[in-house]
Amino acid sequence: MNGTLARYTKKFLAITAAGLLAMSAQAADPIRIGSFLSVTGPASFLGDPELKTLEMYVEKINEEGGVLGRQLELIHYDDAGNASKARNFASRLIRSDRVDIIVGGSTTGATMAAVPLIEQAQIPFISLAGATVITTPVKKWVFKTPQSDRMAAERILTDMESRGLTKIGLISGTGGFGSSGREQTLAVAKEMGNIEVVADETYGGSDTDMTAQLTNIRGADGVQTILNFGFGQGPAIVTRNYAQLSIDLPFYQSHGVASDGFLELAGDSAEGLRLPASPLLVPASLPDSDPQKPIVEAYKSEYEARWNAKVSTFGAYAYDGLMLAVEAIEKAGTTDKAAVRDALENIQGHVGVTGTYNMSADDHNGLTADSFRILEVQNGSWKLVN
Amino acid sequence: MAAARADPIMFSEFLQYLFTGITIGAIYALIALGFTLIYNASHVINFAQGEFLMIGGMATVSLTAMGVPMLLAIVLAVALAGLMGIALQRLAIAPAKDANVVTLIIITIGASIFIRGLAQLVWGKKYHVMPNFSGDEPIEVFGAVLNSQSLWVLGVGAVLVAVLVYFFTRTMTGKAILATSMNKDAARLVGIRTQMVLMLAFMVSALLGSIAGIVVAPITFTSYDIGIILGLKGFVAAAIGGLGSGVGAVVGGLALGVVEAMAAGYLSSDYKDAVAFSMILLVLFFMPRGLFGAKVVERV
């Protein structure tokens, strides 16, 4: 009896082992793209469209024959917006999944937690988070697709300057996005020289009325225009209070609220305000000569058809990340990590949804402030100004 | 710089801060009244008070989005909140009736987290807009502007306070609630059904909270988590005024709102919340029972 069992067990083990061998031989074939995203949790509005984008375009690329004749395999984890989880998953992607490249990191926190591991393991990494610190100073293996808030500040101040507005009243949220935007705005204004910030007010993330701050700004000496750097519902309340106080100075918001949801909240009050945004908000009004137009339109229609949900700027960061990775692997002709990294660093004129990427040894973002378009709210919808 | 400015401008600025402060203050006062009501009946501080506010606003928004006329939507939302108040008392507080007050307070914190989670599942995490009750055109007074909705907040607040005063001083049920708060055993001896009274207190407090939530929603927007910070500020207002005092709740709320707005205007918006919370420290340091708190006599 025991002998039979032992024989069966041996046979079973042999078959399993053979199967495992066959599987690992197959698994060596696809190009493994690793990802950790904040699909759930407080940053799910970033991670959810990012994951959907990665999934659908990996599928699409595979249907079209893959990259270098090999299929892509997406291995992804949900860090739920938690930086220490992000670090653990990055470690798992590197050590046990042995991925060829990582495209992920929805938030700056998650990205920066994973960066030391990635630098040590020497694996190319394209981050989907915005902060300047990710690529300044340049880290050998780290790249990112979104513009930084500094570029948004540059874009806004340049537009103000071109309208002859040089005295700014600044109001910003005290959250991470708002306070970083405030610092960058002050820094850029100082650099440009002719722009002066004459009022500098803040509001808390859950404040429900910013009339007092706006009244203060309105009373500031010689103020010509007002800029709000913030995220969430705060900027919508600022916009409404602005209209209630009937302040008639030109009004700017940041890219943090460049979404249709903001227009819904702010309603008529948003009329006439300007902000820097991705061309994804206004694909139809881009001129035909714009090289980004076909890519933006295709991404928008494919995403909306597949997921039956509105496309978001954040999903576009993942689209650009994946396409940059694919181009780098194709250019390198191999998945050798150092070769792919070198290819990534040498990408020139890669037209994405967010902008046109020109990477270099000292710029691992590859975008300029011009990749932001200035939009104005007219009759309740976005209108491309320049 | 301020001295160089002409006087009329300074006055209109001051008026603007005052309007802002009174509007926010009226919101805090309404929430504080909800705390007061339940505290009076049971000595429990109901930390789910902010959630009643949220239910009122969110239910109204989602019902109007479904095509229900605004007025009916408001009535239904208030009724829903009333039911939630009863359910909270029946399902969470009543089963623990022998527990001490601290335990009951912790139960209300748990209930608030549960209600918020439920709201997040049903309504999602997005912020929602509710239109002003009567037009978006602001009202101008001496160079300062007032949102027309602020008048609604003040008006509804005043009516609710009047109704509550009448309820507690002139009706049998109101007196029964007061009697229960003063001495539960004695109240039971004279034939007051104290559990019933408690349920009633939770229901009225939920109605109050939801009405506050509905009138403020056009100003603050509404979302599943709007109750956290407004609830907290309402509690601060109630504590400043003296827990259990209706007048205290109103005065505390208005004072908190005005101090916040003045601090944001004349000091710095960064210190706005710090000033408000220092105020509670100061008041409680010199008047531990709050501005209008009842003197406590320890019974041995």
Side-chain angles (χ1 to χ4, degrees):
Chain A
M1 187 61 189
N2 264 351
T4 334
L5 189 66
R7 255 207 323 278
Y8 272 120
T9 316
K10 259 186 200 160
K11 218 177 191 174
F12 175 74
L13 278 179
I15 292 169
T16 323
L20 277 177
L21 271 179
M23 269 168 65
S24 67
Q26 256 177 1
D29 264 338
I31 297 173
R32 299 159 81 88
I33 295 182
S35 187
F36 56 95
L37 298 167
S38 311
V39 183
T40 59
S44 60
F45 67 100
L46 302 169
D48 181 59
E50 286 165 357
L51 178 62
K52 284 178 170 157
T53 303
L54 288 182
E55 279 178 340
M56 87 183 250
Y57 281 97
V58 163
E59 253 169 51
K60 186 165 179 248
I61 291 169
N62 284 339
E63 273 164 25
E64 289 165 359
V67 179
L68 303 177
R70 293 161 65 181
Q71 294 280 292
L72 298 182
E73 185 189 350
L74 178 67
I75 301 161
H76 64 85
Y77 298 105
D78 175 14
D79 63 38
N82 178 328
S84 76
K85 273 192 187 167
R87 191 186 148 90
N88 289 340
F89 286 135
S91 156
R92 195 188 293 182
L93 287 169
I94 295 165
R95 301 220 164 83
S96 58
D97 300 320
R98 300 187 172 276
V99 295
D100 296 302
I101 186 166
I102 299 178
V103 178
S106 305
T107 65
T108 300
T111 296
M112 292 311 283
V115 158
L117 279 179
I118 283 164
E119 285 285 296
Q120 196 189 10
Q122 310 207 328
I123 179 166
F125 170 43
I126 304 176
S127 165
L128 312 180
T132 318
V133 289
I134 298 170
T135 50
T136 317
V138 173
K139 298 165 193 68
K140 193 175 174 196
W141 298 88
V142 182
F143 299 78
K144 76 173 174 110
T145 54
Q147 301 99 335
S148 51
D149 35 17
R150 185 182 181 85
M151 290 177 203
E154 273 173 30
R155 192 73 178 85
I156 295 169
L157 296 195
T158 321
D159 190 65
M160 286 174 173
E161 197 187 19
S162 72
R163 294 166 86 185
L165 309 167
T166 55
K167 297 199 174 208
I168 309 173
L170 180 63
I171 176 166
S172 54
T174 49
F177 182 84
S179 61
S180 163
R182 173 181 167 271
E183 277 166 33
Q184 300 300 339
T185 306
L186 294 177
V188 172
K190 209 170 174 188
E191 247 168 56
M192 288 174 68
N194 52 351
I195 301 259
E196 192 190 343
V197 178
V198 292
D200 181 8
E201 297 278 335
T202 59
Y203 56 86
S206 49
D207 281 7
T208 51
D209 189 299
M210 288 68 154
T211 319
Q213 288 94 322
L214 286 172
T215 308
N216 255 353
I217 293 181
R218 181 169 62 177
D221 256 355
V223 63
Q224 292 172 320
T225 178
I226 299 184
L227 164 62
N228 176 207
F229 235 107
F231 198 76
Q233 89 287 7
I237 296 180
V238 172
T239 309
R240 287 184 145 205
N241 291 161
Y242 193 87
Q244 277 154 20
L245 290 172
S246 25
I247 302 177
D248 48 9
L249 303 171
F251 187 33
Y252 284 80
Q253 287 277 359
S254 73
H255 57 306
V257 294
S259 73
D260 294 338
F262 168 74
L263 282 189
E264 247 171 64
L265 283 183
D268 293 342
S269 318
E271 209 55 28
L273 74 78
R274 287 188 175 191
L275 50 68
S278 154
L280 195 56
L281 282 175
V282 286
S285 40
L286 293 175
D288 288 333
S289 59
D290 194 315
Q292 277 179 265
K293 183 168 177 141
I295 292 173
V296 172
E297 281 186 331
Y299 173 64
K300 183 177 159 73
S301 62
E302 283 166 8
Y303 185 95
E304 289 179 352
R306 166 71 193 269
W307 301 106
N308 197 20
K310 276 230 158 190
V311 76
S312 88
T313 327
F314 314 116
Y317 298 151
Y319 175 89
D320 290 336
L322 181 66
M323 294 305 163
L324 283 169
V326 166
E327 182 175 334
I329 293 170
E330 271 171 352
K331 284 234 167 96
T334 161
T335 51
D336 176 68
K337 294 183 178 68
V340 171
R341 191 212 78 90
D342 291 345
L344 255 179
E345 196 172 83
N346 287 314
I347 282 180
Q348 289 294 315
H350 174 101
V351 183
V353 176
T354 313
T356 300
Y357 293 87
N358 292 300
M359 299 285 185
S360 70
D362 39 58
D363 182 5
H364 278 192
N365 177 210
L367 293 174
T368 59
D370 293 335
S371 57
F372 276 121
R373 310 302 160 97
I374 291 286
L375 308 185
E376 189 173 297
V377 181
Q378 289 179 8
N379 302 320
S381 60
W382 304 108
K383 176 100 197 311
L384 185 70
V385 177
N386 72 45
Chain B
M1 215 168 71
R5 253 185 258 153
D7 273 347
I9 296 180
M10 276 189 69
F11 177 66
S12 78
E13 266 181 16
F14 172 78
L15 213 56
Q16 188 64 57
Y17 302 144
L18 193 67
F19 286 166
T20 304
I22 290 178
T23 307
I24 307 181
I27 300 172
Y28 296 160
L30 282 180
I31 304 165
L33 276 176
F35 276 106
T36 304
L37 205 64
I38 290 183
Y39 181 82
N40 267 344
S42 63
H43 285 244
V44 168
I45 295 160
N46 172 28
F47 278 105
Q49 192 60 34
E51 307 325 312
F52 295 145
L53 195 89
M54 177 271 293
I55 295 280
M58 291 298 281
T60 309
V61 166
S62 65
L63 284 170
T64 41
M66 277 156 34
V68 181
M70 184 84 167
L71 205 60
L72 184 62
I74 292 178
V75 173
L76 287 176
V78 172
L80 175 72
L83 284 178
M84 294 218 52
I86 294 176
L88 176 63
Q89 201 275 334
R90 288 277 88 170
L91 304 176
I93 305 290
K97 62 182 167 192
D98 292 330
N100 63 23
V101 169
V102 176
T103 313
L104 293 178
I105 292 175
I106 294 172
I107 290 177
T108 67
I109 295 177
S112 81
I113 296 173
F114 175 75
I115 297 173
R116 210 178 306 138
L118 214 60
Q120 188 190 335
L121 280 180
V122 177
W123 288 308
K125 288 197 272 191
K126 262 182 59 179
Y127 273 81
H128 298 268
V129 216
M130 195 193 289
N132 271 0
F133 292 178
S134 50
D136 286 329
E137 212 46 48
I139 301 154
E140 218 179 304
V141 190
F142 298 118
V145 287
L146 187 60
N147 185 348
S148 65
Q149 190 65 27
S150 301
L151 294 180
W152 276 99
V153 173
L154 293 173
V156 169
V159 170
L160 285 179
V161 169
V163 168
L164 278 181
V165 168
Y166 178 83
F167 178 70
F168 277 114
T169 53
R170 296 271 184 275
T171 69
M172 209 55 193
T173 330
K175 287 178 179 168
I177 293 184
L178 281 184
T180 310
S181 89
M182 286 165 189
N183 191 327
K184 212 167 166 181
D185 295 329
R188 211 177 282 160
L189 275 178
V190 296
I192 295 170
R193 294 165 63 194
T194 51
Q195 279 302 313
M196 196 68 185
V197 160
L198 270 184
M199 198 177 87
L200 207 68
F202 271 86
M203 189 192 78
V204 175
S205 157
L207 295 180
L208 203 65
S210 63
I211 294 173
I214 294 167
V215 290
V216 305
I219 299 180
T220 62
F221 300 129
T222 183
S223 82
Y224 80 101
D225 61 354
I226 190 89
I228 303 178
I229 192 74
L230 285 180
L232 197 64
K233 289 279 175 67
F235 170 65
V236 171
I240 290 176
L243 276 170
S245 158
V247 183
V250 174
V251 173
L254 289 174
L256 184 64
V258 171
V259 166
E260 264 189 21
M262 294 294 167
Y266 289 117
L267 283 172
S268 155
S269 35
D270 288 337
Y271 300 131
K272 190 186 63 151
D273 285 344
V275 168
F277 287 113
S278 320
M279 192 165 111
I280 186 177
L281 283 182
L282 272 181
V283 168
L284 293 187
F285 190 72
F286 292 108
M287 310 173 78
R289 304 300 305 170
L291 295 174
F292 296 89
K295 283 207 178 68
V296 174
V297 184
E298 277 294 325
R299 275 183 291 261
V300 186

